[in-house]
Amino acid sequence: MIHRPEGLSAYIAVTAAYWAFMLTDGALRMLVLLHFHTLGFSPIQLAYLFVLYEIAGMVTNLSAGWLAARFGLTSTLYAGLGIQVAALVALAFLNPDWAIGLSVAYVMAVQGASGVAKDLAKMSSKSAVKLLAPKEDGGLFRWVAVLTGSKNAVKGVGFLLGAALLATLGFTWAVLVMAAVLAVILVAVLVAMPPGLPRGRKGAKFSEVFSKSANVNWLSAARVFLFGARDVWFVVGIPIYFYAVLSDGSEAGNRAAFFLIGSFMAVWIILYGVVQANAPRLLRAKSRPEAELVGAARRWALMLLAVPAALSLATFLADGRAPWLTVMLVAGLLAFGAIFAVNSALHSYLILAFTREERVTMDVGFYYMANAGGRLIGTVLSGLTYQVGGLALTLGTAAAMVAVSALASGRLSVAPRPA
């Protein structure tokens, strides 16, 4: 084992800051979704609230890799945390007396800033893994799985926190409390960040962001449709469906529905994170050559395809919001989360395996731009498909997107190094 104490300390500091960020990110998403649904926003209007968040993520990831290569990973981390604090404070100034159009535009703009913040922080922490993880005995897969899995578990707690804060403190105080906590963490990281991460190189060119590796490009395409398949039901469809099932329209009924929906979303994300963290062990990655893991990406995508296809058919055949359907949806979506987690962990490992150290921030940024693109497509289709065809169409769209992801994964080759 190669010991790199300074680099390891820096990695731990970056990861801790990233966890804190993702706690507020998950809480903010649940706050915005549930708060504006109770104000009477339609599914499409709710989806619009998150559209700029995803567009900003695409643009940020495209440029964040170059920014980190040029100015260093700590600079992009500090910027991400600072922008998120500002976005949370800005949401506190939202006026409930504004017209819906103005409210949507304002929240879209603030969510766009939050999207920039998230992807700056994400790219910093994910690139650090490639630079600091041990190379032997599947160390890279283990480290990236633990980072990504723990991050998603923390974000799941954030979903529950957001629902709880909305029900107890209300929207304005909830965002102000989160802004204050994150600001304290930003100051602590600024003061105490250990050395060990690269500071950037002046010769980095923006044109280097676009990869010439076929594997990086095909993996990025698979990522687009994998995450689109998740967000097409996750962002609007399922939360609004469960709200319709659980709430009787009273204030007490709304509070109970908030807690139950937030709890389900939290459990889903936490389960996703736990499985993701354990994916190397589930796949026996330590004893398998990289070529076998490349081939596993398509097989696991095909396994995932069966779940939304079955749920879509069941929803189509059900007579309204039957209790058995709700139970089936909960169980089926938890199964989707577990299989999705293995798919996601494989992707997160392969992008780092396919890239070289000297261009890791570029390839990781490009890959997460594709990730944000998938979330954007899924977010738009979530509101649109639910409003047009209900949950059956939403889940059917998810199945189709998983199928495309499997096709793209099938194009990956066993020679992973870029030209």
Side-chain angles (χ1 to χ4, degrees):
M1 178 72 71
I2 298 173
H3 296 286
R4 290 183 252 187
E6 286 192 354
L8 181 59
S9 297
Y11 171 71
I12 291 171
V14 169
T15 301
Y18 188 41
W19 285 348
F21 184 99
M22 294 311 297
L23 185 69
T24 66
D25 186 70
L28 182 58
R29 178 166 288 254
M30 190 55 57
L31 272 169
V32 169
L33 178 67
L34 295 177
H35 177 67
F36 285 95
H37 178 63
T38 60
L39 295 180
F41 280 41
S42 71
I44 289 179
Q45 288 170 332
L46 289 171
Y48 283 159
L49 296 179
F50 300 104
V51 163
L52 197 57
Y53 176 93
E54 305 300 355
I55 293 174
M58 290 180 65
V59 175
T60 302
N61 277 303
L62 187 61
S63 58
W66 173 78
L67 289 171
R70 176 66 180 80
F71 299 104
L73 287 173
T74 52
S75 298
T76 49
L77 176 66
Y78 299 153
L81 292 170
I83 293 170
Q84 180 76 340
V85 171
L88 288 166
V89 171
L91 276 177
F93 289 95
L94 181 69
N95 191 330
D97 295 328
W98 288 348
I100 282 185
L102 180 58
S103 295
V104 169
Y106 185 82
V107 176
M108 281 181 69
V110 175
Q111 285 286 95
S114 183
V116 171
K118 187 195 76 171
D119 285 298
L120 285 171
K122 175 192 283 188
M123 189 280 308
S124 301
S125 59
K126 294 295 179 70
S127 296
V129 181
K130 174 70 175 182
L131 299 171
L132 302 172
K135 304 296 187 291
E136 64 277 0
D137 296 328
L140 179 59
F141 199 167
R142 288 199 311 275
W143 278 42
V144 72
V146 168
L147 170 69
T148 310
S150 61
K151 176 268 294 186
N152 283 315
V154 168
K155 186 173 182 177
V157 175
F159 274 83
L160 182 57
L161 176 66
L165 288 174
L166 181 61
T168 54
L169 299 181
F171 183 80
T172 301
W173 278 107
V175 294
L176 287 175
V177 166
M178 290 194 297
V181 172
L182 197 59
V184 170
I185 290 167
L186 171 58
V187 172
V189 172
L190 280 167
V191 171
M193 174 63 75
L197 290 175
R199 297 186 179 276
R201 53 186 174 90
K202 291 184 178 180
K205 297 179 180 178
F206 185 79
S207 59
E208 295 175 32
V209 167
F210 299 98
S211 177
K212 296 181 176 65
S213 165
N215 272 341
V216 169
N217 292 329
W218 279 116
L219 184 63
S220 298
R223 192 75 170 185
V224 168
F225 290 97
L226 180 68
F227 271 75
R230 182 197 67 175
D231 280 10
V232 75
W233 61 264
F234 190 84
V235 173
V236 173
I238 281 294
I240 300 308
Y241 175 86
F242 282 162
Y243 181 86
V245 170
L246 297 171
S247 178
D248 59 6
S250 67
E251 186 176 343
N254 285 346
R255 282 200 301 269
F258 291 162
F259 276 114
L260 290 171
I261 295 167
S263 296
F264 171 76
M265 305 301 274
V267 167
W268 193 94
I269 291 283
I270 291 168
L271 170 69
Y272 166 44
V274 169
V275 175
Q276 198 170 34
N278 287 279
R281 186 163 49 194
L282 293 171
L283 293 166
R284 294 176 288 107
K286 186 176 180 179
S287 61
R288 297 174 72 182
E290 194 170 287
E292 287 189 20
L293 295 175
V294 171
R298 182 172 181 270
R299 292 194 297 274
W300 278 90
L302 290 173
M303 289 172 59
L304 182 64
L305 171 61
V307 179
L311 292 178
S312 177
L313 180 61
T315 306
F316 179 77
L317 296 176
D319 184 17
R321 301 184 180 102
W324 67 265
L325 177 61
T326 300
V327 173
M328 184 177 181
L329 286 169
V330 169
L333 292 174
L334 289 175
F336 182 100
I339 303 170
F340 179 87
V342 177
N343 278 273
S344 181
L346 268 170
H347 286 193
S348 295
Y349 160 70
L350 288 174
I351 186 59
L352 295 180
F354 289 165
T355 189
R356 299 189 303 260
E357 287 194 4
E358 62 268 23
R359 59 168 292 115
V360 59
T361 61
M362 305 289 192
D363 283 343
V364 169
F366 181 79
Y367 166 80
Y368 280 110
M369 179 197 70
N371 190 94
R375 294 197 313 262
L376 171 62
I377 295 169
T379 295
V380 172
L381 290 178
S382 187
L384 182 63
T385 57
Y386 189 81
Q387 188 150 321
V388 170
L391 196 58
L393 180 58
T394 296
L395 292 167
T397 304
M401 296 185 84
V402 174
V404 177
S405 181
L407 289 173
S409 295
R411 298 301 300 270
L412 299 175
S413 71
V414 296
R417 297 298 173 194

